[in-house]
Every structure is written in structure tokens, then in C-alpha cells.
Amino acid sequence: MNQSDKFWDGVAEKYAKKPVPDEAVYQRKLSESQRYLSADMDILEFGCGTGTTAIHHASHVRHIDALDISEAMLAIGREKAKNAAVENITFSRATLIEFKAETASLDAVLGLNVIHLIPDRRAVLDEVARILKPGGTFISSTGCLGNSYFRFIRFIAPIGKRLGLMPDVFVMTEQQWAQEITAAGFTIQSQWHHGVQGIDVFIIARKN
């Protein structure tokens, strides 16, 4: 277990009790995502946390693989799914790369509130492109901290990580993230931002 795993295991219970920061925005994300989902689809969410979004989407697809690096988060997710009588989610402790889904096997891949925590975004995008079927959908929601004064977190994060107070955090701008998505072989269908100084960016893209 590395420091990031330990951090998320340690905050899992508190994270699960934390209310959604903006319910209207969250419902918009769910609604827009579900326009690209259908009952015959197999999808994957990496960085699923405690499974809230996967559970919301479960009735709209055939099956969801929900991945996270925190076993404590996953345990909460499994319990939430059980309580909601949702049986078509498989929770697994893994990163997207470790999971090794079959090539062109998935209809949609979701990476929500996780991209800015991953050091190698190109490897993630390449893997998403590999495992999606042609025309498949990639949905991401991430903090683009380079858009604001939060960009200075790049100097604070390494100290916070060593002290066990923060996970890995990586800085990018909205323009940079959108360009990386298109360069990886996707066409952006929807893109909008919200939150403090518009740092939270939601993008739906189709694999070319």
C-alpha cells in the first residue's frame, strides 16, 4: 500500500458522509452522462470512490466495473450497492492500468474527480482508448487547477503528501486537458466548467 492508498483509506468514512458540493451540478452530470448510456452497455468507472455515481448509473446499463485504489472506499461502495439492491456492479481494488480490461470491450469509461490525482494522464488516455469500442464514450470530471490560484498547490502537495495530509495532486489547465483528450483520438461532444474560478471541468468525448 502506498501513501495515496493509505490517505484514501483513512478518509473513506468521512468522505462517504460528505454531501455533494452542488446538487444541481451533480444531477446535470448524471443526466448528461445517461444520454450516452443504454441497457445493453458494459461500462467501467475508475476512481469510483464509495460508488455513488456507479449506483446512479447502474439501472441504465448492463454491467459496471467500479475500480478504486482504496479498499475502505470499495467496502462502503459494496454496502451501498447492497442496500440499494443493485447487483450489476463489480467493485475491484485496482487502477485502470492494473485492471487490464480486454481491448475494445467497453462501451463507456468514466473517470470522475480522479484525473488530477494521476501522474501519467497520457497512459490513462491511451488505456481508455484501448479498452473502448470504436465510438465508445469517455466521460471525465476533474479539477483543472492550472486555471486559477490553485495552481500553486503544485508546491504544497508534495509536503502535504509526506505528512499524510494530502494525496498526489497534479496541475493542468482546462485547455491542456481538452487538447490531451483530442490528441489521444477522441472527439469532444460536451465540455463545461463550474465551481470556484471554473476549475472543475466536465467533458464527454467519443472515441474516433
Side-chain angles (χ1 to χ4, degrees):
M1 182 181 290
N2 62 37
Q3 284 180 296
S4 289
D5 299 10
K6 291 178 181 178
F7 172 84
W8 291 113
D9 277 350
V11 301
E13 290 289 344
K14 183 177 179 180
Y15 181 90
K17 296 174 182 176
K18 188 177 179 181
V20 174
D22 189 323
E23 185 63 31
V25 167
Y26 183 61
Q27 291 301 321
R28 179 183 173 185
K29 291 179 181 180
L30 291 176
S31 177
E32 290 194 12
S33 298
Q34 288 165 4
R35 292 176 195 165
Y36 292 82
L37 304 179
S38 61
D40 61 345
M41 285 186 170
D42 296 313
I43 75 171
L44 179 150
E45 181 185 356
F46 63 96
C48 70
T50 60
T52 299
T53 298
I55 291 168
H56 279 297
H57 289 326
S59 63
H60 295 266
V61 300
R62 179 165 53 198
H63 183 262
I64 303 177
D65 278 303
L67 316 180
D68 204 274
I69 62 171
S70 168
E71 185 55 47
M73 291 276 196
L74 293 167
I76 294 170
R78 292 186 189 104
E79 186 65 20
K80 286 165 65 173
K82 179 181 177 181
N83 292 339
V86 171
E87 299 180 345
N88 63 333
I89 303 175
T90 301
F91 291 93
S92 301
R93 185 178 180 274
T95 65
L96 176 67
I97 306 298
E98 291 168 347
F99 188 67
K100 300 186 187 303
E102 292 185 11
T103 299
S105 62
L106 296 165
D107 299 287
V109 173
L110 289 70
L112 308 173
N113 305 313
V114 67
I115 302 296
H116 62 291
L117 307 176
I118 299 173
D120 192 344
R121 296 191 301 275
R122 178 57 188 270
V124 166
L125 286 169
D126 286 348
E127 182 68 358
V128 171
R130 182 186 72 80
I131 64 180
L132 275 176
K133 297 174 182 177
T137 303
F138 175 46
I139 302 173
S140 68
S141 181
T142 191
C144 291
L145 304 177
N147 290 8
S148 69
Y149 56 78
F150 288 106
R151 62 186 177 274
F152 296 113
I153 200 170
R154 74 177 77 211
F155 305 111
I156 301 169
I159 299 171
K161 182 183 177 183
R162 284 197 296 271
L163 295 174
L165 301 175
M166 293 176 63
D168 288 313
V169 179
F170 300 92
V171 175
M172 60 184 166
T173 66
E174 178 177 353
Q175 181 182 20
Q176 182 181 1
W177 176 229
Q179 288 174 342
E180 290 174 359
I181 290 173
T182 55
F186 294 87
T187 299
I188 293 175
Q189 307 291 303
S190 176
Q191 176 180 336
W192 48 277
H193 56 252
H194 62 94
V196 179
Q197 296 192 30
I199 65 169
D200 296 307
V201 179
F202 184 75
I203 294 178
I204 298 177
R206 282 202 183 276
K207 178 181 173 180
N208 296 336

